[in-house]
Amino acid sequence: MKPQRIFITGGASGLGFALAQICAKGGWQVCIGDRDIERGEAVIGSLQKWQPKAMFLPCDVTRMSDLEQVAKTLTEKWGGVDVVVNNAGVAQVGKISDTTLSDWQWIIDINLLGVVRGCKVFTPLFKQQGSGHFVNIASMAGLLDVPNMSAYNATKAAVVSLSETLQNELVNDNIHVTVVCPSFFKTNLNQGMRSTIDGIEQKVDKLMSSSKLNAVDIARLIMKAVDKKKSHVLPHRQGRLAWYMKRWLPRSWYQKLLYSRMK
C-alpha cells in the first residue's frame, strides 16, 4: 500500500497505537492524537524509530478547538492529511434505570460527538485536497443489542449510521468512509469504563481474552479496507454470525442466542 499521511485520535494506546505502528513501519507520515499527554509522549519515540517525523499532538475529541488545531498543524507541516481515524472512545455498562443522564452525556460527547467533530473539522480539508478517507471506529455493539449497554450501544449505532450517511453524502467529493465494527478484543477500553453492574470488569476481561484477534490483527484488516476503499469492516467471525442471525432469525430465537453468549 502506498505510504500516505494519517492522523489517529486515541492513538497513544490500544487499536489506535496498533494502527500507528503498522503505518509507521510502512513508511507513512503518522500523527497520533490523545488526551493522555503523558502516554502520548511516552510512546511517540517508538513510532519515530520507524518514522522519524512521526508526531504526537495533544487532542481531546470533546473539544472542537483541539481538532481544529490538529488540522492546522498537519496542513502547515504536511500540506494536508489523507486518512483520519476517529478512534477515541469510552465504555459504559449499566441498566437503563441505573445509568445517569450525566453518564449518557459523557459517552455521547466522546463516542458520537467526538467522531462528528473529527468529520466536521477534516471534511473541508479533504474537499480542498480533492480526496480523503475517514475511518470511524464503531463496534459490533452498534449492530447488535447486548443488554445492559444501552448508552454504549446507542453511541456506536449512531457512528455506524453517521458513517453510512457520509458514504453517500461525500462520495462525489472523492471522500471515502470506512466504519469498523469489532467485537470484544484485548484492549484498554475497560480501564476508563463506567459501570453500575458489580463484577462486569471481570466479565469484560474474559470476553476480551477469548478473542482470537488482537489489536494488530484488526489494524491490519483496517489498512486493507482503506486500500480497497471498503465501506464496512466486521473483523470477528462470531460477530458477523450474530449480525446475520439478528437479520434473518425470528427475534425470539436471536434473543435466546444472545443471552446464552452473555452468561
Side-chain angles (χ1 to χ4, degrees), residues 150-207:
S150 57
Y152 183 76
N153 294 352
T155 60
K156 294 302 185 179
V159 170
V160 173
S161 181
L162 170 67
S163 302
E164 292 173 341
T165 301
L166 294 183
Q167 288 165 7
N168 299 327
E169 183 177 322
L170 301 175
V171 64
N172 292 331
D173 296 300
N174 196 31
I175 299 172
H176 303 279
V177 184
T178 298
V179 61
V180 185
C181 298
S183 300
F184 289 103
F185 66 99
K186 196 63 179 176
T187 185
N188 62 337
L189 183 65
N190 63 336
Q191 289 181 3
M193 181 174 65
R194 295 185 182 183
S195 173
T196 59
I197 298 178
D198 292 337
I200 192 64
E201 291 84 0
Q202 291 78 9
K203 183 173 286 189
V204 170
D205 277 337
K206 182 179 178 181
L207 288 168

Side-chain angles (χ1 to χ4, degrees), residues 3-77:
Q4 298 182 65
R5 303 162 296 180
I6 189 168
F7 169 62
I8 307 164
T9 69
S13 60
L15 178 58
F17 187 62
L19 279 166
Q21 287 179 304
I22 288 173
C23 290
K25 290 177 182 178
W28 285 48
Q29 291 177 278
V30 178
C31 177
I32 57 172
D34 208 291
R35 64 180 178 178
D36 188 339
I37 296 175
E38 183 177 349
R39 174 73 180 173
E41 292 176 343
V43 302
I44 190 61
S46 64
L47 295 178
Q48 290 171 340
K49 290 178 182 178
W50 297 300
Q51 177 51 263
K53 294 184 179 180
M55 293 187 292
F56 163 66
L57 296 177
C59 180
D60 184 336
V61 298
T62 67
R63 293 200 289 256
M64 194 83 165
S65 58
D66 281 16
L67 288 157
E68 289 170 341
Q69 183 58 51
V70 169
K72 181 181 178 182
T73 300
L74 297 185
T75 300
E76 291 172 351
K77 291 184 176 295

Side-chain angles (χ1 to χ4, degrees), residues 233-247:
V233 179
L234 279 64
H236 289 84
R237 181 175 179 273
Q238 279 190 317
R240 292 194 300 272
L241 290 174
W243 186 47
Y244 297 149
M245 288 188 292
K246 177 183 177 180
R247 294 167 69 193

Side-chain angles (χ1 to χ4, degrees), residues 33 45 48 51 57 60 101 105 107 113 116 120 129 131 149 182 217 219 235 243 248 250:
Q48 290 171 340
Q51 177 51 263
L57 296 177
D60 184 336
L101 282 181
Q105 290 166 337
I107 197 169
L113 292 181
V116 171
K120 279 188 68 65
Q129 294 174 170
S131 65
M149 296 182 66
D217 297 324
W243 186 47
W248 300 112

Side-chain angles (χ1 to χ4, degrees), residues 89-140:
V90 292
Q92 195 285 330
V93 181
K95 298 180 183 297
I96 186 67
S97 55
D98 299 330
T99 303
T100 65
L101 282 181
S102 63
D103 276 354
W104 273 90
Q105 290 166 337
W106 168 74
I107 197 169
I108 289 170
D109 200 21
I110 298 170
N111 285 9
L112 173 56
L113 292 181
V115 177
V116 171
R117 292 183 187 100
C119 292
K120 279 188 68 65
V121 166
F122 285 96
T123 291
L125 177 57
F126 282 172
K127 287 184 176 181
Q128 182 181 344
Q129 294 174 170
S131 65
H133 198 133
F134 287 114
V135 177
N136 295 334
I137 307 301
S139 168
M140 283 307 299

